[in-house]
Amino acid sequence: MFGSYFGHYLTEQGIITADQMTEVMQAQKSARVKVGLLAVASGLLTEQQADKINMLQQKMDKRFGDIAVEQGYLTEEQVQELLDKQGEDYSTFVQTMVDKGIMTLSELTEKVEEFKEAGGYSDAELEALKSGDIDRIVPIFMKEPALSRLHKEYAAVVMRSILRFIDTDIRMEHIEKLKPFQGICGVEQKMFGDQMLYTGIFGDKPAILDIASTFGGEDFTEVNAESLDAVAEFLNVNNGLYVTAMSGEWIELDLEPPMMYPEQKTISSEGIAYRIQVYLSGKKVNIVFSLNTDVSVD
Amino acid sequence: MAKILIVDDSLTSRKILKGILETAGHEIVGEAPDGVQGVDLYKKLQPDIVTLDITMPVMDGIGALKEIRDVDPDAKAIMVTAAGQKSKMVEAVKYGAAEFVAKPFDEDQLLEVVHRVVEG
């Protein structure tokens, strides 16, 4: 994920081309071995154990390593060893850039410093970005003072779901209060119960089709009822994970059926709602959510 | 092998369920996108098992379960849910749900649940 941020900076500065960025990100995606595979290959887990963890991971918003420890299959030390073997996001990105002859190590080191300055990142935030750990990265972009714990938790769940189900090349912008904007198409789902939550995913066609194709398991080329249904189902599953997490904290929520919007709409709110712009392999979607405030889609 | 009716408002979800169940040799006798159509189809088709998504428009899975069990007290229903909504699960058990499966579907777990319900 570090590559998504740093690579975007390098592209914006004209230091590398968009094609080079795509090439590096694709190489990094294919080189990155999943922790589960590493564990089986290292003989620490059987395939059955890895399958069971994968199955549990589908139902709960937790990382592979955390579930493996909870199940008593691995110790925390073993998980850390596997993560070390998997390689820090930063190291694999740098390695790929150097291997492809795009930049030298010293050029990269220099540019990382410039990237840190330009983004206003602290040392700790830069380290979090380098780690690629989504749980350390999301808080960097959640600095709106009025955000509640439920807002922050929702943003964390949705980013983890995108990473798990849709794309590993993701970059989120800083969260912002929702101002009216045009969404080309999208889906929404409300939750009610102890709290009322509005959630929506709106974006341009390419990003919406990417989510639909990846989550729906087929190659969608048009935004229509079928492709939006797959995006709605992704939102539904994500919200299900959030409801489950909240239920563990004694907050009971129910899901309403999702709504789909195949045409351009203006998304706005009279109260305080939030928007996070997320780039999936460079394609933008808007994640919109609010707590006890309705959002209009007209 | 069982004759199964799938009731789910998500086309994506219905396609995935259908794919897994048909590959395992079960017969999908019908599909419905909401509880009202699901109840009608149940009465017409008399399947061995009905899968009911809990969150649906028009009539949700719990409402459909109640109506189906009113007309067929032996109906075998597997409730499908995207969330561990405790109150909904308690309600579904009260109205006679046989089992639960969670989205996104895990193939092995789903087939095991269907097997248990068929045997049960």
Side-chain angles (χ1 to χ4, degrees):
Chain A
M1 207 179 308
F2 176 77
S4 311
Y5 289 89
F6 184 49
H8 171 70
Y9 170 77
L10 294 175
T11 313
E12 257 193 340
Q13 298 295 311
I15 297 162
I16 63 171
T17 65
D19 285 349
Q20 283 173 317
M21 164 74 177
T22 307
E23 191 189 342
V24 170
M25 292 310 294
Q26 278 173 354
Q28 204 187 356
K29 269 185 201 175
S30 54
R32 197 169 172 83
V33 182
K34 288 190 169 174
V35 172
L37 279 178
L38 273 177
V40 174
S42 315
L44 292 172
L45 288 181
T46 63
E47 276 188 48
Q48 287 78 9
Q49 286 170 328
D51 285 347
K52 184 176 174 195
I53 296 168
N54 281 326
M55 192 259 282
L56 289 169
Q57 204 185 8
Q58 302 273 311
K59 317 275 179 255
M60 54 178 100
D61 182 41
K62 287 184 178 171
R63 287 178 293 192
F64 187 96
D66 295 335
I67 299 174
V69 172
E70 275 177 18
Q71 294 291 310
Y73 295 154
L74 297 176
T75 63
E76 283 184 14
E77 291 71 28
Q78 285 172 321
V79 171
Q80 191 50 54
E81 255 173 54
L82 291 168
L83 290 173
D84 291 345
K85 263 193 204 171
Q86 187 188 34
E88 195 187 45
D89 229 39
Y90 172 68
S91 321
T92 55
F93 181 78
V94 166
Q95 186 69 50
T96 314
M97 290 284 279
V98 173
D99 284 352
K100 291 200 169 289
I102 296 170
M103 289 174 83
T104 65
L105 193 53
S106 61
E107 283 169 338
L108 277 164
T109 312
E110 191 186 310
K111 291 297 168 198
V112 167
E113 274 308 305
E114 288 177 18
F115 161 74
K116 179 178 170 242
E117 289 295 314
Y121 301 120
S122 67
D123 287 344
E125 287 170 344
L126 182 66
E127 285 312 309
L129 285 171
K130 283 181 173 179
S131 74
D133 181 346
I134 190 82
D135 292 338
R136 292 171 63 194
I137 292 173
V138 171
I140 300 173
F141 301 97
M142 301 290 293
K143 289 181 181 161
E144 272 286 331
L147 285 175
S148 70
R149 191 178 56 81
L150 293 184
H151 285 115
K152 290 179 185 173
E153 185 56 33
Y154 186 76
V157 169
V158 81
M159 292 308 293
R160 283 194 289 263
S161 293
I162 292 174
L163 188 65
R164 184 187 300 171
F165 297 117
I166 309 296
D167 200 341
T168 52
D169 176 7
I170 58 174
R171 178 171 62 83
M172 66 188 287
E173 300 269 352
H174 288 279
I175 192 166
E176 55 190 288
K177 284 193 181 132
L178 177 67
K179 292 180 195 132
F181 77 95
Q182 298 285 312
I184 303 300
C185 48
V187 299
E188 68 174 21
Q189 185 173 39
K190 292 175 184 172
M191 292 178 249
F192 59 95
D194 293 340
Q195 305 279 345
M196 198 282 277
L197 269 102
Y198 173 92
T199 66
I201 301 176
F202 297 91
D204 298 341
K205 266 175 74 171
I208 291 292
L209 288 174
D210 265 11
I211 296 175
S213 300
T214 311
F215 195 76
E218 57 185 287
D219 195 14
F220 291 108
T221 53
E222 290 298 325
V223 171
N224 52 28
E226 265 189 68
S227 54
L228 282 179
D229 181 90
V231 180
E233 192 56 14
F234 165 68
L235 183 62
N236 186 43
V237 164
N238 169 74
N239 288 343
L241 290 169
Y242 181 72
V243 168
T244 305
M246 289 299 103
S247 141
E249 297 185 27
W250 305 103
I251 297 171
E252 281 286 315
L253 296 169
D254 267 329
L255 299 169
E256 283 189 0
M259 296 278 289
M260 297 181 259
Y261 299 100
E263 285 148 10
Q264 182 163 318
K265 297 283 179 187
T266 302
I267 295 100
S268 62
S269 173
E270 286 188 6
I272 296 177
Y274 293 95
R275 170 194 190 190
I276 306 175
Q277 299 180 62
V278 182
Y279 293 83
L280 317 175
S281 293
K283 295 163 198 161
K284 186 173 89 176
V285 289
N286 299 280
I287 308 296
V288 176
F289 57 99
S290 68
L291 190 59
N292 301 321
T293 296
D294 209 4
V295 170
S296 308
V297 181
D298 298 311
Chain B
M1 293 300 118
K3 290 182 177 181
I4 300 174
L5 167 66
I6 298 174
V7 186
D8 196 315
D9 60 323
S10 164
L11 176 64
T12 307
S13 199
R14 294 202 304 271
K15 274 188 201 166
I16 296 171
L17 260 180
K18 190 177 175 182
I20 296 173
L21 294 170
E22 282 186 340
T23 307
H26 297 291
E27 184 189 352
I28 304 306
V29 290
E31 293 178 38
D34 62 58
V36 171
Q37 293 184 50
V39 173
D40 284 348
L41 270 185
Y42 186 89
K43 289 178 192 165
K44 243 181 255 169
L45 302 169
Q46 295 287 307
D48 301 323
I49 293 175
V50 56
T51 70
L52 292 169
D53 184 24
I54 288 186
T55 306
M56 286 189 294
V58 189
M59 180 194 282
D60 70 7
I62 306 278
L65 173 67
K66 270 193 260 180
E67 294 211 2
I68 287 172
R69 296 275 295 184
D70 276 348
V71 294
D72 177 5
D74 296 325
K76 292 175 175 176
I78 297 174
M79 307 307 289
V80 174
T81 172
Q85 298 149 285
K86 286 175 196 156
S87 55
K88 291 276 180 190
M89 289 165 96
V90 169
E91 219 182 330
V93 169
K94 190 173 129 194
Y95 291 111
E99 283 277 1
F100 291 86
V101 288
K103 291 180 183 179
F105 301 113
D106 174 74
E107 192 172 329
D108 293 341
Q109 193 208 20
L110 171 67
L111 294 176
E112 199 183 303
V113 164
V114 170
H115 179 72
R116 270 206 306 268
V117 173
V118 171
E119 294 293 302

